Amino acid sequence: MGALAATAPTKTAADAELHALCSSSGGESATTKKLCALYGVLSGKPAKRRPPPQTTMVSAAQTPGDGATDQDDANRFNEQTKYRPPAKDAQDPCAKRLFFRSDPLADYHYLVDLSPSPQGASVAFTDDERAATKSLTVNGRASYVLTGDACPRTDDPHSLYTSGYAFALFTSANGNWSEPRKATERSALKFGADAEAEFANVGPIDIGYLSASPFFQSDFRGTARVYGGTFAAEPQVGALNLGVVRHSFDVLDFWWQVRPQATFAQVDTVGLTNYRTGFHPFLGAIVRANFNFFPSTGGQWPSWLADRLAFVATASLFSDVGQRAHYDYYTAQLQYKLPGYDPASVTTISLEYDRGTDIETLSPLNQYLVKLSYAY
């Protein structure tokens, strides 16, 4: 879900060859310029214009006079890299299908999933035998990509083109359930689909995402009836660390995300929410700042510290235009990544503070949480 670059990407032989090809002086044919420009986009490095031709172009895998042509370079680029950015682990970032995350902002990388610290789903269950009560708190989202192309090819990396698309089904759960039922119980259970398209070279934006997500929403008791759709956009600008994971300092990597969003909901039955019946247009944006401490690219940190400690701050700012009401929701989370054997999954334990109103239930919250989260 493509991204420009990840923290500490794994260099492949093809990547090293392309780096040598695009960094050396040599022929500057149209094909070679296109390949090197696209390599610059995918690797997160600005393409550099080379000097006028002086000698025959030579790559890392060629010797002078071996008869290689620009078409050979193009074929090698197509077959060895498939226009894929370097992955941070052995998993093919363009082939991921199943996702477990906390919210849509953590899910926008359907196309190339390269976030080192994705926000995971969490579940908490309490059985109080003395009070004879049970409670369940859920915050998460499961998605499965049915079809899409994460790494399509293009003939001109300098102009606007569709660099990926995906269609996925999702279900999300947010809220609490209690037995016996409490008057304060609020929850949202959603089922829907995500249609996402990725565009490259959108003016000053390196990569831009557009998504449309029709949904049906109920609650954990099955009483609410809400129908609607969400439309969102998410940019990537490498020079600003916007939507792109880049190495910033020896002790810190920083990147941030912005998601302008419009949700249109028709509420037929309020159920276990604080909605009113009728039509609700929610307009606003979600902003998230990610701080990854002690990155492995910054120094020789011990294994229990390198790439494990992170701080994530999120602001969700929306207005119900029809009701002329404003709903702000803020979250601050200090998390520690637990050791794991599967590079595709991340398990974290975190201390979290939430304050504001969640637009999925319109429930006011002011709480501290200790959470165990899982992301895949």
Side-chain angles (χ1 to χ4, degrees), residues 166-181:
F167 182 81
L169 299 179
F170 76 87
T171 180
S172 66
N174 180 26
N176 58 83
W177 170 89
S178 58
E179 189 61 42
R181 177 175 165 181

Side-chain angles (χ1 to χ4, degrees), residues 214-235:
F215 65 83
F216 166 73
Q217 177 178 329
S218 186
D219 52 47
F220 294 173
R221 304 281 182 175
T223 58
R225 293 291 182 272
V226 182
Y227 308 85
T230 296
F231 303 88
E234 298 175 29

Side-chain angles (χ1 to χ4, degrees), residues 13-23 35-36 39 60 73 77 81:
D15 184 67
E17 181 178 341
L18 286 168
H19 178 73
L21 174 65
C22 297
S23 300
L35 295 179
C36 292
Y39 169 70
D73 295 333
F77 190 92
T81 72

Side-chain angles (χ1 to χ4, degrees), residues 31-350:
T31 302
T32 303
K33 285 190 291 185
K34 292 175 183 178
L35 295 179
C36 292
L38 182 58
Y39 169 70
V41 171
L42 296 181
S43 64
K45 303 172 183 177
K48 297 182 179 179
R49 183 174 179 82
R50 296 180 297 167
Q54 298 177 356
T55 59
T56 302
M57 179 176 59
V58 179
S59 72
Q62 295 174 345
T63 56
D66 68 352
T69 65
D70 286 343
Q71 185 59 46
D72 294 331
D73 295 333
N75 292 338
R76 184 182 302 109
F77 190 92
N78 291 341
E79 296 304 320
Q80 294 185 357
T81 72
K82 306 297 184 186
Y83 287 148
R84 289 178 169 87
K88 67 184 177 65
D89 53 49
Q91 181 192 12
D92 183 353
C94 297
K96 189 173 177 61
R97 289 292 179 264
L98 182 62
F99 294 82
F100 293 105
R101 299 294 165 87
S102 62
D103 53 39
L105 192 61
D107 246 352
Y108 89 101
H109 275 159
Y110 274 146
L111 297 168
V112 178
D113 182 47
L114 294 175
S115 175
S117 300
Q119 299 299 101
S122 63
V123 178
F125 178 75
T126 302
D127 186 355
D128 189 336
E129 295 184 355
R130 175 171 295 183
T133 61
K134 297 180 175 63
S135 63
L136 178 70
T137 302
V138 182
N139 179 25
R141 174 183 170 99
S143 309
Y144 186 82
V145 178
L146 295 178
T147 185
D149 190 349
C151 300
R153 305 179 184 187
T154 178
D155 293 329
D156 188 358
H158 293 286
S159 61
L160 173 67
Y161 65 94
T162 303
S163 52
Y165 66 91
F167 182 81
L169 299 179
F170 76 87
T171 180
S172 66
N174 180 26
N176 58 83
W177 170 89
S178 58
E179 189 61 42
R181 177 175 165 181
K182 297 180 180 179
T184 56
E185 182 179 319
R186 295 292 182 268
S187 60
L189 182 62
K190 277 186 177 181
F191 304 91
D194 288 328
E196 180 180 297
E198 177 191 272
F199 302 92
N201 300 324
V202 189
I205 298 174
D206 300 322
I207 300 289
Y209 297 91
L210 294 177
S211 62
S213 306
F215 65 83
F216 166 73
Q217 177 178 329
S218 186
D219 52 47
F220 294 173
R221 304 281 182 175
T223 58
R225 293 291 182 272
V226 182
Y227 308 85
T230 296
F231 303 88
E234 298 175 29
Q236 285 188 350
V237 181
L240 301 178
N241 281 32
L242 176 59
V244 181
V245 183
R246 287 176 177 268
H247 178 58
S248 304
F249 306 99
D250 288 345
V251 297
L252 173 68
D253 280 348
F254 166 77
W255 70 102
W256 59 297
Q257 301 165 262
V258 176
R259 178 186 168 96
Q261 178 177 302
T263 296
F264 303 97
Q266 174 62 40
V267 181
D268 292 343
T269 306
V270 298
L272 299 180
T273 71
N274 289 337
Y275 286 130
R276 296 180 182 179
T277 56
F279 180 68
H280 296 265
F282 295 101
L283 304 180
I286 305 173
V287 181
R288 175 168 291 166
N290 303 270
F291 302 86
N292 182 43
F293 298 98
F294 309 108
S296 56
T297 54
Q300 298 298 319
W301 313 112
S303 60
W304 57 269
L305 190 59
D307 292 323
R308 296 198 181 277
L309 187 64
F311 177 77
V312 181
T314 305
S316 176
L317 312 172
F318 285 92
S319 295
D320 184 338
V321 178
Q323 300 290 331
R324 295 184 179 180
H326 302 281
Y327 303 104
D328 299 339
Y329 186 49
Y330 303 96
T331 297
Q333 185 179 74
L334 181 64
Q335 63 183 29
Y336 181 79
K337 187 187 303 183
L338 300 178
Y341 299 98
D342 183 0
S345 64
V346 176
T347 303
T348 59
I349 185 170
S350 59

